[in-house]
Amino acid sequence: MSNPGGKPYALIRRLTIADIDRIIEIERHAYPHPWTRGNFLDCLRSSYGCFGLQLGEDLAGYSIFNWAVGEAHLLNLCVGPKWQGQSYGSLMLERTIDFVTLRGNQSMFLEVRASNPRAVVLYKKHGFKVIGHRRGYYRADGGREDAIVMGLQLT
Ligand SMILES: CC(C)(COP(=O)(O)OP(=O)(O)OC[C@H]1O[C@@H](n2cnc3c(N)ncnc32)[C@H](O)[C@@H]1OP(=O)(O)O)[C@@H](O)C(=O)NCCC(=O)NCCS
């Protein structure tokens, strides 16, 4: 089914274990250093927030996050390559921010690879500010890569 603009209807829904194969498929296409199946299963079996972007029949992306003592942490935001650049990343980020705000959190944090300016731009557009760096935080080809730490005050 599609809307009058010809795009499939977008729905944000909770992920379940049944989505795991599709999640892994998207993750491996979207990241040079993807999360493992075990990483996702741990999140799905815990009380973490696990949102999926459903576009018609397709699971097209996801947002994984958690929160405690007033602070939310965005762990993974991903849109399948086929669907990137069409505002779906923004949509999922907005829904995630709304969700953690409604649960009474005062701030939200995330880490992003220094080599991922596209994601940094997306986060800045949604009000995140750079608050620090973590040296060698990520695995990278032939070594380690720094993380940019970003934070958002929630209203
Ligand atoms: C980063 C990611 C989630 C963004 O999702 P998206 O749906 O492609 O992004 P959107 O279409 O909502 O675009 C949001 C903003 O990102 C920037 N952006 C999007 N596509 C871009 C491109 N091809 N080049 C540069 N900037 C781009 C733009 O500033 C855009 O805002 P605009 O449309 O008002 O100009 C997505 O590209 C992705 O999943 N990448 C691989 C995984 C990843 O890196 N995740 C982030 C980990 S921290």
Side-chain angles (χ1 to χ4, degrees):
M1 196 188 279
S2 60
N3 64 32
K7 278 187 165 185
Y9 281 108
L11 173 78
I12 306 288
R13 64 165 175 84
R14 281 183 195 276
L15 293 169
T16 72
I17 300 275
D19 296 309
I20 190 72
D21 289 342
R22 177 66 182 134
I23 292 170
I24 297 297
E25 191 183 1
I26 296 170
E27 178 79 7
R28 288 184 181 156
H29 281 101
Y31 286 107
H33 299 279
W35 277 17
T36 64
R37 181 174 291 261
N39 294 145
F40 284 103
L41 287 173
D42 286 348
C43 295
L44 288 164
R45 288 173 179 146
S46 72
S47 55
Y48 285 14
C50 300
F51 284 173
L53 168 70
Q54 188 74 36
L55 293 181
E57 300 292 299
D58 243 356
L59 180 70
Y62 39 81
S63 158
I64 312 284
F65 55 98
N66 64 4
W67 65 96
V69 291
E71 282 185 7
H73 194 176
L74 183 62
L75 303 170
N76 195 335
L77 179 77
C78 186
V79 175
K82 176 177 158 189
W83 301 105
Q84 289 175 11
Q86 299 176 52
S87 301
Y88 292 123
S90 291
L91 176 71
M92 278 198 298
L93 184 58
E94 282 161 19
R95 291 293 180 278
T96 303
I97 292 169
D98 288 349
F99 183 91
V100 295
T101 303
L102 283 169
R103 266 148 192 81
N105 291 286
Q106 282 103 50
S107 50
M108 186 166 197
F109 298 94
L110 61 85
E111 287 88 21
V112 54
R113 282 181 187 264
S115 63
N116 195 349
R118 181 172 176 173
V120 172
V121 169
L122 168 70
Y123 296 133
K124 282 185 175 168
K125 280 204 164 158
H126 290 270
F128 282 86
K129 295 192 171 21
V130 175
I131 56 170
H133 294 80
R134 295 191 205 280
R135 298 273 164 240
Y137 185 76
Y138 291 110
R139 191 161 52 91
D141 292 333
R144 308 290 301 177
E145 178 177 357
D146 295 348
I148 298 171
V149 184
M150 303 185 80
L152 173 70
Q153 282 306 119
L154 304 171
T155 48

